[in-house]
Amino acid sequence: MMKNLIYGMILLMAMVGCRHQTMLQERPVGQAVASSGNASGNTSILRSLQQGDLLFVVNPQGNAITEVTEGYDGMQIDHVGVLLNDSNGEAYVVEAVPQKGVVKTHISDFLSQNAPMQGDCHILVGRLSVDWDIPATKKNLLCCIGVPYDSLYLPDNQAVYCSELVQQSFVDRHGQRLFETIPMQFRNKEGDIPQTFVRRYQSLNIAVPEGQPGTNPGQLSRSRLLKMIGMIKNVNKKNLSQDSCYSMK
């Protein structure tokens, strides 16, 4: 009788996406990150990372994406991935990237691949501040592995881009998506569409999807559903090799 009662309580906790459940399931991710990235001197901070944390790539150089979007606190954010852990406790990032589509990337590889040859790249860490369904969201993310990358940022075209993957995957315990879409914006502050986008769509003889429903990593970083918990700072090719890239502020 007691065994059945305990089993029932455990099953109920697994089904409800509450914050208490989040803390129970997430702790191993921080431990895995701290042990996977040579995080000398920053282990205690990295252990606070949780499953489902959003890793926003802040690009100091800027590009066509940051030219037409706005990130948290004015940051130039051009990519986002989701931190998860596998059955062995290894931390990895689910992300949608050009040429590869949706992939699982080890956390150390994620940092290395987003580190520029010149200057520094920062990783802003965002966390859901509302209840969400961990098992369902994780299933949604993993079911997308292998889906092609959507370089055209079109809705409902059997391909996804980085922030679209996040927007379509995170759900509450009722199965409802947490992040809303917004009208897509391809114009910079001067009202012009960058030539990168002009040439891309002209080459395919299709219109720039201005105003179509979509999302972008900068917009996600400004969501009222997130709280920012820190920044992995000074990530670059040089200090990655020196094991000093994991500092949080």
Side-chain angles (χ1 to χ4, degrees):
M1 178 69 177
M2 180 60 69
K3 182 184 293 187
N4 291 339
L5 178 59
I6 294 175
Y7 176 77
M9 293 175 64
I10 294 175
L11 181 61
L12 180 61
M13 289 178 64
M15 294 175 62
V16 178
C18 62
R19 286 192 190 126
H20 181 58
Q21 176 205 31
T22 300
M23 291 301 294
L24 288 175
Q25 292 194 2
E26 323 275 299
R27 193 176 300 277
V29 178
Q31 294 172 351
V33 172
S35 63
S36 69
N38 304 314
S40 176
N42 298 287
T43 300
S44 61
I45 298 176
L46 289 167
R47 286 183 187 277
S48 69
L49 294 179
Q50 298 181 4
Q51 184 163 225
D53 281 350
L54 299 183
L55 305 183
F56 294 97
V57 178
V58 183
N59 184 346
Q61 305 301 319
N63 54 29
I65 294 175
T66 61
E67 187 178 350
V68 299
T69 62
E70 179 183 357
Y72 173 81
D73 201 24
M75 296 179 185
Q76 297 188 120
I77 295 173
D78 67 359
H79 184 56
V80 61
V82 184
L83 183 68
L84 295 178
N85 68 332
D86 60 22
S87 58
N88 297 319
E90 283 290 314
Y92 63 92
V93 178
V94 178
E95 57 176 339
V97 294
Q99 284 81 54
K100 295 182 179 180
V102 181
V103 295
K104 292 170 59 176
T105 306
H106 193 275
I107 181 63
S108 60
D109 293 331
F110 178 83
L111 292 177
S112 177
Q113 291 167 12
N114 286 292
M117 295 304 297
Q118 300 292 330
D120 295 333
C121 178
H122 304 329
I123 307 296
L124 178 67
V125 182
R127 180 171 300 160
L128 265 294
S129 59
V130 296
D131 293 343
W132 58 288
D133 191 321
I134 298 175
T137 297
K138 189 170 183 178
K139 180 180 179 180
N140 291 341
L141 288 164
L142 296 180
C143 283
C144 289
I145 300 296
V147 171
Y149 183 79
D150 184 8
S151 60
L152 298 177
Y153 313 117
L154 298 174
D156 306 320
N157 63 343
Q158 309 306 310
V160 295
Y161 49 93
C162 65
S163 57
E164 185 181 31
L165 174 66
V166 174
Q167 188 271 323
Q168 292 186 357
S169 297
F170 276 82
V171 295
D172 63 21
R173 61 192 182 93
H174 302 293
Q176 299 298 310
R177 290 176 178 171
L178 290 171
F179 295 105
E180 298 178 350
T181 59
I182 60 169
M184 292 289 278
Q185 165 72 4
F186 287 87
R187 297 185 182 277
N188 57 28
K189 294 179 180 179
E190 289 71 37
D192 302 319
I193 299 177
Q195 286 301 305
T196 298
F197 295 127
V198 172
R199 290 191 295 266
R200 181 180 305 175
Y201 292 101
Q202 281 184 345
S203 67
L204 298 171
N205 198 30
I206 61 176
V208 176
E210 179 88 6
Q212 292 293 311
T215 181
N216 65 71
Q219 165 248 336
L220 274 184
S221 72
R222 295 184 289 108
S223 172
R224 58 182 177 77
L225 304 181
L226 294 177
K227 61 179 179 180
M228 297 303 157
I229 65 168
M231 181 91 76
I232 304 175
K233 301 193 69 177
N234 305 322
V235 179
N236 60 48
K237 299 294 185 184
K238 181 178 180 180
N239 64 26
L240 275 170
S241 64
Q242 294 177 341
D243 304 339
S244 60
C245 63
Y246 295 86
S247 62
M248 300 282 285
K249 178 178 180 181

